[in-house]
């Protein structure tokens, strides 16, 4: 006898739909005007909701920002899981970075990256939200780097945590450049990005005398 799937409360479905509607509207507003200049009234207008209705779901702009980041954060384990099982860890790290860059280069996503970075620099609450997400990404990437070291694919003298910070900074830098310089293209930067990552992570070659044994 098959187990019956649990029946979801229609009210819960409705609440989830409303939250999604608000977050999507907020992203459009933030992408156009930035976090700092966008007020809750603008989000209400974009979502087609009264302030009273919206505040039932999100009591503040910071709560909306947190929900946006948390929604993205929920996808992180599935997106980065291949790093922990790849036969070639360096190839997997580069592929993961490319996927991150491509995903954030969508017109609706790219302005959000800089807005989050700028708001995190001046708003301690938002910085805490963003850093929790960064820490989760960093933990998985660092585990992948350690795995690559154990497999002889990554320089074992590197500090895995500091190497992870560098890789994340390099990737964020490419994304920022692509936003600030419209003439730049991912396909133009990606070969140099890949070469930089491979050279940075490559194990030191064995001394000639040792290699000749």
């Amino acid at each position: 006898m098959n187990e019956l799937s649990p029946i979801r409360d229609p009210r819960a479905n409705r609440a989830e739909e409303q939250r999604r509607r608000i977050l999507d509207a907020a992203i459009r507003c933030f992408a156009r005007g930035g976090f700092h200049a966008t007020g809750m009234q603008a989000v209400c207008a974009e979502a087609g909701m009264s302030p009273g209705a919206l505040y039932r779901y999100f009591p503040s702009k910071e709560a909306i920002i947190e929900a946006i980041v948390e929604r993205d954060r929920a996808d992180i384990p599935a997106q980065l899981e291949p790093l922990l099982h790849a036969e070639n860890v360096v190839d997997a790290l580069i592929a993961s970075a490319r996927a991150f860059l491509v995903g954030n280069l969508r017109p609706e996503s790219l302005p959000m990256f800089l807005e989050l970075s700028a708001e995190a620099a001046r708003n301690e609450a938002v910085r805490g939200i963003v850093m929790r997400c960064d820490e989760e990404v960093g933990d998985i990437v660092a585990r992948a780097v350690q795995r690559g070291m154990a497999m002889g694919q990554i320089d074992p003298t590197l500090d895995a945590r500091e190497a992870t910070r560098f890789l994340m900074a390099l990737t964020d830098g490419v994304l920022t450049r692509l936003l600030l310089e419209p003439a730049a293209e991912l396909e133009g930067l990606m070969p140099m990005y890949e070469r930089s990552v491979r050279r940075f992570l490559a194990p030191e070659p064995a001394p000639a005398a040792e290699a000749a044994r």
Side-chain angles (χ1 to χ4, degrees), residues 14 17-30 32 38-51 53-55 57-58 64:
R14 172 67 173 165
E17 180 184 330
Q18 290 289 78
R19 285 174 59 86
R20 183 166 56 247
R21 175 181 167 190
I22 294 166
L23 295 182
D24 290 342
I27 288 172
R28 293 192 296 271
C29 287
F30 294 150
R32 287 197 302 266
T38 299
M40 291 290 274
Q41 191 65 43
V43 177
C44 291
E46 184 73 23
M49 300 175 68
S50 69
L54 187 143
Y55 278 105
Y57 297 96
F58 297 103
I64 292 177

Side-chain angles (χ1 to χ4, degrees), residues 83 86-98 153-154 190 194 197-198 201:
L83 293 177
E87 293 184 9
N88 188 310
V89 175
V90 178
D91 283 353
L93 285 167
I94 292 169
S96 178
R98 174 185 279 277
Q153 298 172 1
I154 293 177
M190 200 64 201
E194 180 172 344
V197 171
R198 290 191 185 282
L201 295 177

Side-chain angles (χ1 to χ4, degrees), residues 189-210:
L189 291 176
M190 200 64 201
M192 289 174 282
Y193 173 91
E194 180 172 344
R195 182 167 65 178
S196 299
V197 171
R198 290 191 185 282
R199 289 184 176 179
F200 169 62
L201 295 177
E204 291 289 334
E210 182 179 331

Side-chain angles (χ1 to χ4, degrees), residues 35 65-66 69-70 73 76 112-113 115-121 123-137 168 172:
F35 290 136
I65 295 170
E66 181 170 8
V69 176
E70 290 293 342
R73 183 181 174 191
I76 289 172
M112 287 294 296
F113 172 79
E115 283 300 327
L116 271 173
S117 300
E119 190 66 16
N123 185 319
E124 187 174 343
V126 174
R127 181 164 62 251
I129 296 165
V130 171
M131 289 309 298
R132 286 201 302 275
C133 186
D134 260 22
E135 286 169 8
E136 187 165 1
V137 173
M168 292 173 69
D172 288 348

Side-chain angles (χ1 to χ4, degrees), residues 146-180:
Q146 291 168 338
R147 183 168 174 268
M149 292 175 175
M151 295 169 70
Q153 298 172 1
I154 293 177
D155 184 354
T157 66
L158 291 172
D159 181 293
R161 286 287 173 182
E162 294 304 321
T164 295
R165 286 193 178 94
F166 174 75
L167 292 173
M168 292 173 69
L170 184 63
T171 307
D172 288 348
V174 169
L175 188 55
T176 301
R177 175 51 51 189
L178 290 168
L179 177 59
L180 296 177

